[in-house]
Amino acid sequence: TRQSIPHSARENPASVTMATVNAIRFLTHVPVPLFGNAGLAASLTMQKAKALPRFAPWILPGTVGGLWFVWPAVDEEWKVEVGISKAPQ
């Protein structure tokens, strides 16, 4: 809607684009461990996010398999405290 757009952006839509460019340029100067800067980190994240739909069918089997391996290691006291299982008599 027209009211949600800031007044300056209504007059000059190019100012919004310039603001985006300036924000991206600023991110190239923000240091991030392991990546060098936030711009590279964001770029890598966006590239990896494009592959996520390919792995969507594996979410449920992966979760069930992970719980199958982890569940025996969970402490019985914690299970009782959370209310998942009954207290031993």
Side-chain angles (χ1 to χ4, degrees):
T1 63
R2 190 168 175 86
Q3 292 177 344
S4 64
I5 300 172
H7 181 68
S8 61
R10 276 184 270 148
E11 290 177 2
N12 186 5
S15 67
V16 174
T17 306
M18 283 303 296
T20 304
V21 170
N22 287 336
I24 292 171
R25 200 173 290 152
F26 171 75
L27 287 176
T28 61
H29 298 294
V30 177
V32 174
L34 300 176
F35 293 102
N37 61 51
L40 289 174
S43 175
L44 180 69
T45 301
M46 293 304 292
Q47 287 176 348
K48 295 299 180 185
K50 290 176 186 175
L52 285 179
R54 188 174 52 179
F55 299 111
W58 289 98
I59 292 173
L60 181 63
T63 303
V64 170
L67 287 175
W68 185 27
F69 285 112
V70 171
W71 188 251
V74 176
D75 188 29
E76 285 297 324
E77 233 176 81
W78 181 83
K79 291 177 187 177
V80 171
E81 183 179 318
V82 174
I84 296 172
S85 65
K86 296 179 182 177
Q89 297 298 341

